Amino acid sequence: MSRRRAPAVVLLLAAALAACAVAGLALGPVRIPAGQVLDTVLDGPGRPGAFASIVWDVRMPRVLLGAVVGAGLAVAGTVLQALVRNQLADPFLLGASSGASAGAVAVIVLGAGAGVLGGIGVPLAAFAGSMGALVAVYALARRGGTMTTGRLILAGVAVQYVLSALTSLVLVLAAHPDQMRSVLFWTLGGLGGARWDELALPAVALLLGTGLLIALARPLDLLLAGEEGARTLGLDTGRFRAAVFVLTSLVIGVLVAYSGAIGFVGLMVPHAARMVVGAGHRALLPVAALGGAVFLSLADLLARTAAAPEEIPVGVVTALVGGPFFLWMLRRSTRTEGVAG
């Protein structure tokens, strides 16, 4: 029954995302009537006027980036929860976002490798940091052959502290105070710097990554049966888990390189999606992607309107919502373990 709901849920979430996009284009320091927003969008980017410039040059890239990042983080969180068989897994809590931030900030502030790698230097550094953090957390949590919720969370917190300290050190070494302030805002998560020429790489990472992960839905489902059960059914769990870790780290690294570290999207959205359509990944991943896009679009809308004309980092908004949710999940995990619990 849960799987049969998936098409209806996808349509509902797609409609909600369209409504969020219209609201994101209409609301802000300058409010534009929804009808005029729709007319401006339908007329295309060449329409003259101040409203058209606000919609197409300022708000549209931000709305699109928010949807892409929210979808990607939700998909990454869903897959990480299957890989480690724990509902508390999340790109932020497992240090992947912090690792991506540390790598990206090193390139931005210190210029490490920027001259050689050009425009892909930041995404590559973010991917390396994300992958390194996930490997470290997984190795620490699996030490002794078993992985418990407590060990997973402690490993994630420890790695996050180390990476946060490294990021702070890089910020202190920043040559210009203005640069330090802008990067500090970026480490808290922000979509204000979205530009049209920076949307292609995150969108490609999301589409390719999600497409490949949906194609791997059956092996991901097998992992839910446990290590021994998956091996009995013919899955090389070690090789599969390593490959999916690399793919997930790549998606996280690219997204964090353009949005900063935005936490708890990959924790809350998969849990909600699983309650609606069940644990089967073929239905779960598309629903989680759309749910993440809707959630982050709403969070960003709140971030830029709640204290207008000042802007709150969107990572602060998601943390205010996700922190209590995480505490509830942590309390619940004392009674049940694993993804299915």
Side-chain angles (χ1 to χ4, degrees), residues 20 43 54 69-70 93 98 110 117-118 128 188 190 231 266 291:
C20 290
D43 287 343
I54 292 173
V69 171
L93 295 173
S98 298
L110 303 179
L117 299 174
L188 296 174
R231 287 175 182 167

Side-chain angles (χ1 to χ4, degrees), residues 1-8 277:
M1 291 297 294
S2 296
R3 191 173 297 176
R4 291 176 186 175
R5 292 196 208 108
V277 298

Side-chain angles (χ1 to χ4, degrees), residues 162-259:
V162 173
L163 293 170
S164 296
L166 290 174
T167 303
S168 299
L169 177 62
V170 171
L171 289 174
V172 170
L173 297 176
H176 305 291
D178 292 339
Q179 185 183 47
M180 182 175 178
R181 282 193 295 270
S182 65
V183 173
L184 182 61
F185 182 85
W186 182 85
T187 58
L188 296 174
L191 303 172
R195 303 198 310 264
W196 280 108
D197 60 348
E198 293 183 344
L199 287 176
L201 189 55
V204 169
L206 170 67
L207 293 175
L208 288 181
T210 303
L212 289 171
L213 290 169
I214 291 175
L216 296 172
R218 185 177 179 276
L220 287 170
D221 291 343
L222 292 179
L223 283 180
L224 301 182
E227 201 88 10
E228 293 300 324
R231 287 175 182 167
T232 301
L233 293 172
L235 180 65
D236 186 342
T237 56
R239 184 175 298 178
F240 175 75
R241 185 175 276 115
V244 176
F245 261 128
V246 171
L247 177 60
T248 307
S249 299
L250 180 59
V251 173
I252 295 170
V254 171
L255 297 178
V256 172
Y258 291 98
S259 69

Side-chain angles (χ1 to χ4, degrees), residues 11-231:
L11 289 176
L12 182 62
L13 287 174
L17 182 58
C20 290
V22 173
L25 296 175
L27 300 178
V30 177
R31 300 207 169 198
I32 306 173
Q36 192 160 359
V37 167
L38 292 176
D39 290 340
T40 302
V41 172
L42 292 175
D43 287 343
R47 180 175 179 173
F51 284 168
S53 178
I54 292 173
V55 168
W56 281 102
D57 298 335
V58 179
R59 293 181 183 172
M60 185 71 79
R62 179 169 186 156
V63 168
L64 293 176
L65 181 62
V68 168
V69 171
L73 291 177
V75 167
T78 302
V79 173
L80 288 176
Q81 288 170 12
L83 290 179
V84 301
R85 301 188 67 245
N86 196 304
Q87 278 191 352
L88 293 176
D90 167 74
F92 185 77
L93 295 173
L94 295 189
S97 294
S98 298
S101 295
V105 168
V107 172
I108 292 171
V109 175
L110 303 179
V116 177
L117 299 174
I120 63 170
V122 173
L124 280 178
F127 162 66
S130 173
M131 184 66 196
L134 280 178
V135 169
V137 170
Y138 184 73
L140 290 170
R142 285 282 295 182
R143 189 167 184 178
T146 60
M147 181 186 298
T148 64
T149 295
R151 187 177 295 170
L152 181 69
I153 298 304
L154 288 174
V157 169
V159 170
Q160 275 197 75
Y161 271 123
V162 173
L163 293 170
S164 296
L166 290 174
T167 303
S168 299
L169 177 62
V170 171
L171 289 174
V172 170
L173 297 176
H176 305 291
D178 292 339
Q179 185 183 47
M180 182 175 178
R181 282 193 295 270
S182 65
V183 173
L184 182 61
F185 182 85
W186 182 85
T187 58
L188 296 174
L191 303 172
R195 303 198 310 264
W196 280 108
D197 60 348
E198 293 183 344
L199 287 176
L201 189 55
V204 169
L206 170 67
L207 293 175
L208 288 181
T210 303
L212 289 171
L213 290 169
I214 291 175
L216 296 172
R218 185 177 179 276
L220 287 170
D221 291 343
L222 292 179
L223 283 180
L224 301 182
E227 201 88 10
E228 293 300 324
R231 287 175 182 167

